[in-house]
mmCIF file with all atom_site columns, all heavy atoms in Angstrom:
data_model
loop_
_atom_site.group_PDB
_atom_site.id
_atom_site.type_symbol
_atom_site.label_atom_id
_atom_site.label_alt_id
_atom_site.label_comp_id
_atom_site.label_asym_id
_atom_site.label_entity_id
_atom_site.label_seq_id
_atom_site.pdbx_PDB_ins_code
_atom_site.Cartn_x
_atom_site.Cartn_y
_atom_site.Cartn_z
_atom_site.occupancy
_atom_site.B_iso_or_equiv
_atom_site.pdbx_formal_charge
_atom_site.auth_seq_id
_atom_site.auth_comp_id
_atom_site.auth_asym_id
_atom_site.auth_atom_id
_atom_site.pdbx_PDB_model_num
ATOM 1   N N   . ASN A 1 1  ? -138.575 84.930  44.991 1.00 89.00 ? 271 ASN A N   1
ATOM 2   C CA  . ASN A 1 1  ? -138.672 84.000  46.192 1.00 89.00 ? 271 ASN A CA  1
ATOM 3   C C   . ASN A 1 1  ? -139.982 84.271  46.898 1.00 89.00 ? 271 ASN A C   1
ATOM 4   O O   . ASN A 1 1  ? -140.834 85.110  46.436 1.00 89.00 ? 271 ASN A O   1
ATOM 5   C CB  . ASN A 1 1  ? -137.471 84.197  47.116 1.00 89.00 ? 271 ASN A CB  1
ATOM 6   C CG  . ASN A 1 1  ? -137.301 85.569  47.664 1.00 89.00 ? 271 ASN A CG  1
ATOM 7   O OD1 . ASN A 1 1  ? -138.222 86.390  47.661 1.00 89.00 ? 271 ASN A OD1 1
ATOM 8   N ND2 . ASN A 1 1  ? -136.075 85.910  48.066 1.00 89.00 ? 271 ASN A ND2 1
ATOM 9   N N   . GLN A 1 2  ? -140.145 83.707  48.114 1.00 91.00 ? 272 GLN A N   1
ATOM 10  C CA  . GLN A 1 2  ? -141.449 83.845  48.742 1.00 91.00 ? 272 GLN A CA  1
ATOM 11  C C   . GLN A 1 2  ? -141.644 85.319  49.217 1.00 91.00 ? 272 GLN A C   1
ATOM 12  O O   . GLN A 1 2  ? -142.812 85.807  49.330 1.00 91.00 ? 272 GLN A O   1
ATOM 13  C CB  . GLN A 1 2  ? -141.437 82.965  49.987 1.00 91.00 ? 272 GLN A CB  1
ATOM 14  C CG  . GLN A 1 2  ? -141.634 81.430  49.656 1.00 91.00 ? 272 GLN A CG  1
ATOM 15  C CD  . GLN A 1 2  ? -141.680 80.531  50.847 1.00 91.00 ? 272 GLN A CD  1
ATOM 16  O OE1 . GLN A 1 2  ? -140.640 80.150  51.319 1.00 91.00 ? 272 GLN A OE1 1
ATOM 17  N NE2 . GLN A 1 2  ? -142.850 80.272  51.340 1.00 91.00 ? 272 GLN A NE2 1
ATOM 18  N N   . TYR A 1 3  ? -140.592 86.062  49.508 1.00 94.00 ? 273 TYR A N   1
ATOM 19  C CA  . TYR A 1 3  ? -140.717 87.387  49.946 1.00 94.00 ? 273 TYR A CA  1
ATOM 20  C C   . TYR A 1 3  ? -141.203 88.298  48.770 1.00 94.00 ? 273 TYR A C   1
ATOM 21  O O   . TYR A 1 3  ? -142.115 89.167  48.944 1.00 94.00 ? 273 TYR A O   1
ATOM 22  C CB  . TYR A 1 3  ? -139.366 87.985  50.491 1.00 94.00 ? 273 TYR A CB  1
ATOM 23  C CG  . TYR A 1 3  ? -139.011 87.359  51.781 1.00 94.00 ? 273 TYR A CG  1
ATOM 24  C CD1 . TYR A 1 3  ? -138.389 86.144  51.870 1.00 94.00 ? 273 TYR A CD1 1
ATOM 25  C CD2 . TYR A 1 3  ? -139.369 88.047  52.988 1.00 94.00 ? 273 TYR A CD2 1
ATOM 26  C CE1 . TYR A 1 3  ? -138.036 85.602  53.111 1.00 94.00 ? 273 TYR A CE1 1
ATOM 27  C CE2 . TYR A 1 3  ? -139.058 87.480  54.211 1.00 94.00 ? 273 TYR A CE2 1
ATOM 28  C CZ  . TYR A 1 3  ? -138.387 86.283  54.238 1.00 94.00 ? 273 TYR A CZ  1
ATOM 29  O OH  . TYR A 1 3  ? -138.098 85.699  55.495 1.00 94.00 ? 273 TYR A OH  1
ATOM 30  N N   . VAL A 1 4  ? -140.667 88.073  47.556 1.00 94.00 ? 274 VAL A N   1
ATOM 31  C CA  . VAL A 1 4  ? -141.129 88.842  46.414 1.00 94.00 ? 274 VAL A CA  1
ATOM 32  C C   . VAL A 1 4  ? -142.556 88.503  46.080 1.00 94.00 ? 274 VAL A C   1
ATOM 33  O O   . VAL A 1 4  ? -143.346 89.419  45.839 1.00 94.00 ? 274 VAL A O   1
ATOM 34  C CB  . VAL A 1 4  ? -140.194 88.537  45.177 1.00 94.00 ? 274 VAL A CB  1
ATOM 35  C CG1 . VAL A 1 4  ? -140.725 89.120  43.900 1.00 94.00 ? 274 VAL A CG1 1
ATOM 36  C CG2 . VAL A 1 4  ? -138.783 89.079  45.379 1.00 94.00 ? 274 VAL A CG2 1
ATOM 37  N N   . THR A 1 5  ? -142.868 87.229  46.041 1.00 93.00 ? 275 THR A N   1
ATOM 38  C CA  . THR A 1 5  ? -144.293 86.851  45.790 1.00 93.00 ? 275 THR A CA  1
ATOM 39  C C   . THR A 1 5  ? -145.206 87.410  46.783 1.00 93.00 ? 275 THR A C   1
ATOM 40  O O   . THR A 1 5  ? -146.321 87.915  46.443 1.00 93.00 ? 275 THR A O   1
ATOM 41  C CB  . THR A 1 5  ? -144.366 85.305  45.766 1.00 93.00 ? 275 THR A CB  1
ATOM 42  O OG1 . THR A 1 5  ? -143.504 84.797  44.744 1.00 93.00 ? 275 THR A OG1 1
ATOM 43  C CG2 . THR A 1 5  ? -145.725 84.863  45.458 1.00 93.00 ? 275 THR A CG2 1
ATOM 44  N N   . LYS A 1 6  ? -144.942 87.327  48.080 1.00 95.00 ? 276 LYS A N   1
ATOM 45  C CA  . LYS A 1 6  ? -145.709 87.906  49.116 1.00 95.00 ? 276 LYS A CA  1
ATOM 46  C C   . LYS A 1 6  ? -145.897 89.413  48.994 1.00 95.00 ? 276 LYS A C   1
ATOM 47  O O   . LYS A 1 6  ? -146.970 89.950  49.085 1.00 95.00 ? 276 LYS A O   1
ATOM 48  C CB  . LYS A 1 6  ? -145.213 87.603  50.540 1.00 95.00 ? 276 LYS A CB  1
ATOM 49  C CG  . LYS A 1 6  ? -146.023 88.062  51.667 1.00 95.00 ? 276 LYS A CG  1
ATOM 50  C CD  . LYS A 1 6  ? -147.368 87.516  51.698 1.00 95.00 ? 276 LYS A CD  1
ATOM 51  C CE  . LYS A 1 6  ? -147.334 86.033  52.079 1.00 95.00 ? 276 LYS A CE  1
ATOM 52  N NZ  . LYS A 1 6  ? -148.716 85.470  52.322 1.00 95.00 ? 276 LYS A NZ  1
ATOM 53  N N   . ALA A 1 7  ? -144.807 90.127  48.564 1.00 96.00 ? 277 ALA A N   1
ATOM 54  C CA  . ALA A 1 7  ? -144.883 91.567  48.328 1.00 96.00 ? 277 ALA A CA  1
ATOM 55  C C   . ALA A 1 7  ? -145.810 91.882  47.190 1.00 96.00 ? 277 ALA A C   1
ATOM 56  O O   . ALA A 1 7  ? -146.527 92.894  47.245 1.00 96.00 ? 277 ALA A O   1
ATOM 57  C CB  . ALA A 1 7  ? -143.458 92.061  48.055 1.00 96.00 ? 277 ALA A CB  1
ATOM 58  N N   . LYS A 1 8  ? -145.773 91.121  46.161 1.00 96.00 ? 278 LYS A N   1
ATOM 59  C CA  . LYS A 1 8  ? -146.719 91.354  45.038 1.00 96.00 ? 278 LYS A CA  1
ATOM 60  C C   . LYS A 1 8  ? -148.182 91.143  45.423 1.00 96.00 ? 278 LYS A C   1
ATOM 61  O O   . LYS A 1 8  ? -149.003 92.038  45.135 1.00 96.00 ? 278 LYS A O   1
ATOM 62  C CB  . LYS A 1 8  ? -146.366 90.443  43.903 1.00 96.00 ? 278 LYS A CB  1
ATOM 63  C CG  . LYS A 1 8  ? -145.098 90.749  43.136 1.00 96.00 ? 278 LYS A CG  1
ATOM 64  C CD  . LYS A 1 8  ? -144.590 89.647  42.226 1.00 96.00 ? 278 LYS A CD  1
ATOM 65  C CE  . LYS A 1 8  ? -145.532 89.202  41.187 1.00 96.00 ? 278 LYS A CE  1
ATOM 66  N NZ  . LYS A 1 8  ? -145.027 88.094  40.371 1.00 96.00 ? 278 LYS A NZ  1
ATOM 67  N N   . VAL A 1 9  ? -148.402 90.139  46.251 1.00 95.00 ? 279 VAL A N   1
ATOM 68  C CA  . VAL A 1 9  ? -149.775 89.915  46.682 1.00 95.00 ? 279 VAL A CA  1
ATOM 69  C C   . VAL A 1 9  ? -150.270 91.037  47.612 1.00 95.00 ? 279 VAL A C   1
ATOM 70  O O   . VAL A 1 9  ? -151.339 91.545  47.440 1.00 95.00 ? 279 VAL A O   1
ATOM 71  C CB  . VAL A 1 9  ? -149.884 88.537  47.487 1.00 95.00 ? 279 VAL A CB  1
ATOM 72  C CG1 . VAL A 1 9  ? -151.218 88.430  48.157 1.00 95.00 ? 279 VAL A CG1 1
ATOM 73  C CG2 . VAL A 1 9  ? -149.577 87.409  46.489 1.00 95.00 ? 279 VAL A CG2 1
ATOM 74  N N   . LEU A 1 10 ? -149.378 91.448  48.479 1.00 96.00 ? 280 LEU A N   1
ATOM 75  C CA  . LEU A 1 10 ? -149.721 92.588  49.409 1.00 96.00 ? 280 LEU A CA  1
ATOM 76  C C   . LEU A 1 10 ? -149.889 93.934  48.665 1.00 96.00 ? 280 LEU A C   1
ATOM 77  O O   . LEU A 1 10 ? -150.697 94.694  48.985 1.00 96.00 ? 280 LEU A O   1
ATOM 78  C CB  . LEU A 1 10 ? -148.728 92.733  50.495 1.00 96.00 ? 280 LEU A CB  1
ATOM 79  C CG  . LEU A 1 10 ? -148.670 91.603  51.544 1.00 96.00 ? 280 LEU A CG  1
ATOM 80  C CD1 . LEU A 1 10 ? -147.501 91.757  52.518 1.00 96.00 ? 280 LEU A CD1 1
ATOM 81  C CD2 . LEU A 1 10 ? -149.976 91.596  52.352 1.00 96.00 ? 280 LEU A CD2 1
ATOM 82  N N   . ALA A 1 11 ? -149.036 94.178  47.611 1.00 96.00 ? 281 ALA A N   1
ATOM 83  C CA  . ALA A 1 11 ? -149.139 95.379  46.853 1.00 96.00 ? 281 ALA A CA  1
ATOM 84  C C   . ALA A 1 11 ? -150.484 95.415  46.181 1.00 96.00 ? 281 ALA A C   1
ATOM 85  O O   . ALA A 1 11 ? -151.071 96.500  46.009 1.00 96.00 ? 281 ALA A O   1
ATOM 86  C CB  . ALA A 1 11 ? -148.034 95.395  45.837 1.00 96.00 ? 281 ALA A CB  1
ATOM 87  N N   . GLN A 1 12 ? -150.949 94.297  45.726 1.00 96.00 ? 282 GLN A N   1
ATOM 88  C CA  . GLN A 1 12 ? -152.291 94.276  45.070 1.00 96.00 ? 282 GLN A CA  1
ATOM 89  C C   . GLN A 1 12 ? -153.406 94.482  46.017 1.00 96.00 ? 282 GLN A C   1
ATOM 90  O O   . GLN A 1 12 ? -154.293 95.283  45.712 1.00 96.00 ? 282 GLN A O   1
ATOM 91  C CB  . GLN A 1 12 ? -152.454 92.949  44.368 1.00 96.00 ? 282 GLN A CB  1
ATOM 92  C CG  . GLN A 1 12 ? -153.709 92.820  43.606 1.00 96.00 ? 282 GLN A CG  1
ATOM 93  C CD  . GLN A 1 12 ? -153.755 91.629  42.616 1.00 96.00 ? 282 GLN A CD  1
ATOM 94  O OE1 . GLN A 1 12 ? -153.347 91.729  41.530 1.00 96.00 ? 282 GLN A OE1 1
ATOM 95  N NE2 . GLN A 1 12 ? -154.219 90.481  43.119 1.00 96.00 ? 282 GLN A NE2 1
ATOM 96  N N   . SER A 1 13 ? -153.336 93.943  47.187 1.00 95.00 ? 283 SER A N   1
ATOM 97  C CA  . SER A 1 13 ? -154.428 94.063  48.119 1.00 95.00 ? 283 SER A CA  1
ATOM 98  C C   . SER A 1 13 ? -154.420 95.367  48.890 1.00 95.00 ? 283 SER A C   1
ATOM 99  O O   . SER A 1 13 ? -155.443 95.948  49.247 1.00 95.00 ? 283 SER A O   1
ATOM 100 C CB  . SER A 1 13 ? -154.341 92.942  49.204 1.00 95.00 ? 283 SER A CB  1
ATOM 101 O OG  . SER A 1 13 ? -153.198 92.958  49.922 1.00 95.00 ? 283 SER A OG  1
ATOM 102 N N   . MET A 1 14 ? -153.222 95.961  49.073 1.00 95.00 ? 284 MET A N   1
ATOM 103 C CA  . MET A 1 14 ? -153.056 97.205  49.911 1.00 95.00 ? 284 MET A CA  1
ATOM 104 C C   . MET A 1 14 ? -153.152 98.428  49.076 1.00 95.00 ? 284 MET A C   1
ATOM 105 O O   . MET A 1 14 ? -153.706 99.421  49.507 1.00 95.00 ? 284 MET A O   1
ATOM 106 C CB  . MET A 1 14 ? -151.784 97.166  50.625 1.00 95.00 ? 284 MET A CB  1
ATOM 107 C CG  . MET A 1 14 ? -151.654 96.077  51.791 1.00 95.00 ? 284 MET A CG  1
ATOM 108 S SD  . MET A 1 14 ? -149.933 95.937  52.425 1.00 95.00 ? 284 MET A SD  1
ATOM 109 C CE  . MET A 1 14 ? -149.774 97.443  53.362 1.00 95.00 ? 284 MET A CE  1
ATOM 110 N N   . PHE A 1 15 ? -152.585 98.353  47.837 1.00 95.00 ? 285 PHE A N   1
ATOM 111 C CA  . PHE A 1 15 ? -152.476 99.644  47.026 1.00 95.00 ? 285 PHE A CA  1
ATOM 112 C C   . PHE A 1 15 ? -153.210 99.543  45.697 1.00 95.00 ? 285 PHE A C   1
ATOM 113 O O   . PHE A 1 15 ? -153.172 100.463 44.942 1.00 95.00 ? 285 PHE A O   1
ATOM 114 C CB  . PHE A 1 15 ? -151.015 99.990  46.837 1.00 95.00 ? 285 PHE A CB  1
ATOM 115 C CG  . PHE A 1 15 ? -150.174 99.948  48.106 1.00 95.00 ? 285 PHE A CG  1
ATOM 116 C CD1 . PHE A 1 15 ? -149.154 98.991  48.282 1.00 95.00 ? 285 PHE A CD1 1
ATOM 117 C CD2 . PHE A 1 15 ? -150.516 100.838 49.126 1.00 95.00 ? 285 PHE A CD2 1
ATOM 118 C CE1 . PHE A 1 15 ? -148.374 99.017  49.378 1.00 95.00 ? 285 PHE A CE1 1
ATOM 119 C CE2 . PHE A 1 15 ? -149.728 100.749 50.268 1.00 95.00 ? 285 PHE A CE2 1
ATOM 120 C CZ  . PHE A 1 15 ? -148.677 99.898  50.440 1.00 95.00 ? 285 PHE A CZ  1
ATOM 121 N N   . GLY A 1 16 ? -153.752 98.334  45.373 1.00 95.00 ? 286 GLY A N   1
ATOM 122 C CA  . GLY A 1 16 ? -154.429 98.193  44.100 1.00 95.00 ? 286 GLY A CA  1
ATOM 123 C C   . GLY A 1 16 ? -153.464 98.111  42.923 1.00 95.00 ? 286 GLY A C   1
ATOM 124 O O   . GLY A 1 16 ? -153.889 98.312  41.765 1.00 95.00 ? 286 GLY A O   1
ATOM 125 N N   . THR A 1 17 ? -152.195 97.819  43.179 1.00 97.00 ? 287 THR A N   1
ATOM 126 C CA  . THR A 1 17 ? -151.206 97.628  42.100 1.00 97.00 ? 287 THR A CA  1
ATOM 127 C C   . THR A 1 17 ? -151.366 96.172  41.641 1.00 97.00 ? 287 THR A C   1
ATOM 128 O O   . THR A 1 17 ? -151.058 95.246  42.348 1.00 97.00 ? 287 THR A O   1
ATOM 129 C CB  . THR A 1 17 ? -149.862 97.869  42.586 1.00 97.00 ? 287 THR A CB  1
ATOM 130 O OG1 . THR A 1 17 ? -149.725 99.179  43.213 1.00 97.00 ? 287 THR A OG1 1
ATOM 131 C CG2 . THR A 1 17 ? -148.819 97.794  41.415 1.00 97.00 ? 287 THR A CG2 1
ATOM 132 N N   . ALA A 1 18 ? -151.769 95.986  40.379 1.00 97.00 ? 288 ALA A N   1
ATOM 133 C CA  . ALA A 1 18 ? -152.018 94.655  39.871 1.00 97.00 ? 288 ALA A CA  1
ATOM 134 C C   . ALA A 1 18 ? -150.688 93.872  39.754 1.00 97.00 ? 288 ALA A C   1
ATOM 135 O O   . ALA A 1 18 ? -149.588 94.474  39.655 1.00 97.00 ? 288 ALA A O   1
ATOM 136 C CB  . ALA A 1 18 ? -152.670 94.742  38.498 1.00 97.00 ? 288 ALA A CB  1
ATOM 137 N N   . MET A 1 19 ? -150.851 92.556  39.776 1.00 97.00 ? 289 MET A N   1
ATOM 138 C CA  . MET A 1 19 ? -149.626 91.716  39.562 1.00 97.00 ? 289 MET A CA  1
ATOM 139 C C   . MET A 1 19 ? -149.918 90.736  38.443 1.00 97.00 ? 289 MET A C   1
ATOM 140 O O   . MET A 1 19 ? -151.140 90.375  38.109 1.00 97.00 ? 289 MET A O   1
ATOM 141 C CB  . MET A 1 19 ? -149.280 90.958  40.823 1.00 97.00 ? 289 MET A CB  1
ATOM 142 C CG  . MET A 1 19 ? -150.296 89.960  41.351 1.00 97.00 ? 289 MET A CG  1
ATOM 143 S SD  . MET A 1 19 ? -149.643 88.930  42.685 1.00 97.00 ? 289 MET A SD  1
ATOM 144 C CE  . MET A 1 19 ? -151.072 87.974  43.083 1.00 97.00 ? 289 MET A CE  1
ATOM 145 N N   . ASP A 1 20 ? -148.865 90.147  37.885 1.00 96.00 ? 290 ASP A N   1
ATOM 146 C CA  . ASP A 1 20 ? -149.022 89.122  36.855 1.00 96.00 ? 290 ASP A CA  1
ATOM 147 C C   . ASP A 1 20 ? -149.651 87.830  37.447 1.00 96.00 ? 290 ASP A C   1
ATOM 148 O O   . ASP A 1 20 ? -150.659 87.307  37.010 1.00 96.00 ? 290 ASP A O   1
ATOM 149 C CB  . ASP A 1 20 ? -147.759 88.803  36.146 1.00 96.00 ? 290 ASP A CB  1
ATOM 150 C CG  . ASP A 1 20 ? -146.541 88.476  37.113 1.00 96.00 ? 290 ASP A CG  1
ATOM 151 O OD1 . ASP A 1 20 ? -146.758 88.624  38.353 1.00 96.00 ? 290 ASP A OD1 1
ATOM 152 O OD2 . ASP A 1 20 ? -145.466 88.187  36.616 1.00 96.00 ? 290 ASP A OD2 1
ATOM 153 N N   . MET A 1 21 ? -149.067 87.355  38.551 1.00 93.00 ? 291 MET A N   1
ATOM 154 C CA  . MET A 1 21 ? -149.533 86.145  39.228 1.00 93.00 ? 291 MET A CA  1
ATOM 155 C C   . MET A 1 21 ? -148.556 85.876  40.366 1.00 93.00 ? 291 MET A C   1
ATOM 156 O O   . MET A 1 21 ? -147.459 86.442  40.471 1.00 93.00 ? 291 MET A O   1
ATOM 157 C CB  . MET A 1 21 ? -149.432 84.885  38.231 1.00 93.00 ? 291 MET A CB  1
ATOM 158 C CG  . MET A 1 21 ? -148.097 84.416  37.976 1.00 93.00 ? 291 MET A CG  1
ATOM 159 S SD  . MET A 1 21 ? -147.795 83.496  36.493 1.00 93.00 ? 291 MET A SD  1
ATOM 160 C CE  . MET A 1 21 ? -147.623 84.835  35.378 1.00 93.00 ? 291 MET A CE  1
ATOM 161 N N   . PRO A 1 22 ? -148.968 84.979  41.311 1.00 89.00 ? 292 PRO A N   1
ATOM 162 C CA  . PRO A 1 22 ? -147.955 84.451  42.266 1.00 89.00 ? 292 PRO A CA  1
ATOM 163 C C   . PRO A 1 22 ? -146.917 83.598  41.525 1.00 89.00 ? 292 PRO A C   1
ATOM 164 O O   . PRO A 1 22 ? -147.309 82.529  41.003 1.00 89.00 ? 292 PRO A O   1
ATOM 165 C CB  . PRO A 1 22 ? -148.745 83.699  43.268 1.00 89.00 ? 292 PRO A CB  1
ATOM 166 C CG  . PRO A 1 22 ? -150.176 84.092  43.036 1.00 89.00 ? 292 PRO A CG  1
ATOM 167 C CD  . PRO A 1 22 ? -150.295 84.469  41.596 1.00 89.00 ? 292 PRO A CD  1
ATOM 168 N N   . ALA A 1 23 ? -145.726 84.046  41.440 1.00 89.00 ? 293 ALA A N   1
ATOM 169 C CA  . ALA A 1 23 ? -144.732 83.320  40.590 1.00 89.00 ? 293 ALA A CA  1
ATOM 170 C C   . ALA A 1 23 ? -143.474 83.102  41.392 1.00 89.00 ? 293 ALA A C   1
ATOM 171 O O   . ALA A 1 23 ? -142.489 83.900  41.379 1.00 89.00 ? 293 ALA A O   1
ATOM 172 C CB  . ALA A 1 23 ? -144.402 84.160  39.311 1.00 89.00 ? 293 ALA A CB  1
ATOM 173 N N   . GLY A 1 24 ? -143.318 81.990  42.086 1.00 80.00 ? 294 GLY A N   1
ATOM 174 C CA  . GLY A 1 24 ? -142.142 81.637  42.813 1.00 80.00 ? 294 GLY A CA  1
ATOM 175 C C   . GLY A 1 24 ? -142.453 81.252  44.215 1.00 80.00 ? 294 GLY A C   1
ATOM 176 O O   . GLY A 1 24 ? -143.453 81.632  44.793 1.00 80.00 ? 294 GLY A O   1
ATOM 177 N N   . PRO A 1 25 ? -141.599 80.433  44.809 1.00 88.00 ? 295 PRO A N   1
ATOM 178 C CA  . PRO A 1 25 ? -140.457 79.717  44.256 1.00 88.00 ? 295 PRO A CA  1
ATOM 179 C C   . PRO A 1 25 ? -140.843 78.689  43.222 1.00 88.00 ? 295 PRO A C   1
ATOM 180 O O   . PRO A 1 25 ? -141.972 78.287  43.073 1.00 88.00 ? 295 PRO A O   1
ATOM 181 C CB  . PRO A 1 25 ? -139.773 79.066  45.513 1.00 88.00 ? 295 PRO A CB  1
ATOM 182 C CG  . PRO A 1 25 ? -140.296 79.767  46.708 1.00 88.00 ? 295 PRO A CG  1
ATOM 183 C CD  . PRO A 1 25 ? -141.768 80.174  46.254 1.00 88.00 ? 295 PRO A CD  1
ATOM 184 N N   . SER A 1 26 ? -139.778 78.211  42.480 1.00 93.00 ? 296 SER A N   1
ATOM 185 C CA  . SER A 1 26 ? -140.007 77.383  41.308 1.00 93.00 ? 296 SER A CA  1
ATOM 186 C C   . SER A 1 26 ? -140.238 75.869  41.628 1.00 93.00 ? 296 SER A C   1
ATOM 187 O O   . SER A 1 26 ? -139.862 75.411  42.693 1.00 93.00 ? 296 SER A O   1
ATOM 188 C CB  . SER A 1 26 ? -138.835 77.542  40.344 1.00 93.00 ? 296 SER A CB  1
ATOM 189 O OG  . SER A 1 26 ? -139.143 77.074  39.068 1.00 93.00 ? 296 SER A OG  1
#
């Protein structure tokens, strides 16, 4: 959902943890 997607984006920008893509909601 939007919370998971936002968390992935923030994880990438804050900690350098890469993500596959913004994926969701569908």
Side-chain angles (χ1 to χ4, degrees):
N271 60 22
Q272 286 180 276
Y273 288 86
V274 170
T275 300
K276 181 64 71 174
K278 286 164 62 181
V279 171
L280 289 173
Q282 183 165 270
S283 63
M284 294 170 69
F285 312 117
T287 307
M289 66 169 176
D290 49 357
M291 76 202 82
S296 197

